[in-house]
């Protein structure tokens, strides 16, 4: 069975590879969940950086920073995560320059100096992560006459990020 460290490491590895998550601000009408692309610089976590427009619902609702949450599904649909943390605007030019890439550039006609450019910073604090918790996996367990609840109970972890 995977331990908490292995589960956390796998989460960061998959998120760094896949990068798409659903992100929203807790309790904000305009901060509903929406798909975003997260950039991660460190192998074992660190802040998630998200380029968006100053006109987006998220950017407008953040103000000086708000509690937020993100959900993530791994590419093979065998890792699921619900992540809580704090979302803020951090238009640090050094970070923007470091993270700038052709995919980001495609969204901003004015390049790094586009007046609509906004860099969000999501500082993840806690996560609940599930491994191999798919209906298909449960069906296999059921066919093998094993209780899926027992098989999957050690594959979920609540971890500090």
């Amino acid at each position: 069975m995977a331990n908490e460290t292995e589960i956390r490491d796998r989460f960061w590895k998959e998120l760094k590879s896949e990068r798409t998550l659903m992100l929203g601000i807790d309790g904000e009408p305009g901060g509903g969940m929406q798909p975003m692309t997260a950039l991660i610089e460190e192998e074992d976590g660190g802040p998630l950086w998200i380029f968006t427009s100053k006109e987006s619902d998220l950017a407008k609702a953040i103000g000086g920073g708000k509690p937020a949450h993100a959900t993530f599904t791994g590419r093979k649909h065998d890792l699921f995560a619900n992540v809580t943390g704090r979302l803020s605007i951090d238009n640090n030019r050094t970070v923007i320059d470091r993270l700038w890439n052709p995919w980001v550039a495609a969204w901003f006609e004015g390049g790094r100096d586009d007046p609509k450019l906004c860099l969000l910073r999501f500082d993840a604090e806690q996560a609940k992560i599930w491994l191999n918790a798919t209906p298909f996996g449960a069906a296999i367990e059921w066919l093998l006459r094993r209780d899926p609840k027992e098989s999957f109970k050690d594959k979920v972890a609540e971890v500090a990020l």
Side-chain angles (χ1 to χ4, degrees), residues 33-77:
M33 300 293 280
Q34 49 195 279
M36 303 299 282
T37 300
L39 300 172
I40 307 166
E41 297 182 279
E42 304 298 324
E43 292 300 319
D44 60 348
L48 306 182
W49 300 100
I50 301 105
F51 284 93
T52 191
S53 168
K54 290 179 181 176
E55 298 174 352
S56 71
D57 290 341
L58 282 174
K60 288 178 183 178
I62 290 173
K66 298 269 175 88
H69 58 281
T71 59
F72 173 75
T73 302
R75 179 176 295 249
K76 294 180 184 177
H77 297 270

Side-chain angles (χ1 to χ4, degrees), residues 11 14-15 22 27 35 40 47 52 56 59 66-67 73 80 87 89 95 106-107 116 130-131 138 142 154 156:
F11 164 74
E14 289 206 27
L15 182 59
M22 296 294 291
I40 307 166
T52 191
S56 71
K66 298 269 175 88
T73 302
F80 301 87
L87 187 64
I89 294 174
V95 177
W107 289 93
K116 294 182 182 177
W130 294 264
L131 297 179
W142 180 77
D154 294 329
V156 63

Side-chain angles (χ1 to χ4, degrees), residues 2 9 19 26 31 35 50 58 75 95 101 109 119 128-129 160:
D9 291 348
R19 300 187 310 194
D26 294 348
I50 301 105
L58 282 174
R75 179 176 295 249
V95 177
N101 64 62
E109 292 179 13
L119 183 61
K128 189 164 188 178
I129 304 168

Side-chain angles (χ1 to χ4, degrees), residues 69-118:
H69 58 281
T71 59
F72 173 75
T73 302
R75 179 176 295 249
K76 294 180 184 177
H77 297 270
D78 62 351
L79 181 143
F80 301 87
N82 182 31
V83 185
T84 58
R86 187 155 187 87
L87 187 64
S88 58
I89 294 174
D90 187 345
N91 288 320
N92 180 315
R93 184 57 187 234
T94 303
V95 177
I96 290 171
D97 289 344
R98 193 171 58 238
L99 296 174
W100 194 259
N101 64 62
W103 292 274
V104 174
W107 289 93
F108 298 99
E109 292 179 13
R112 298 170 203 201
D113 296 315
D114 192 306
K116 294 182 182 177
L117 179 77
C118 181

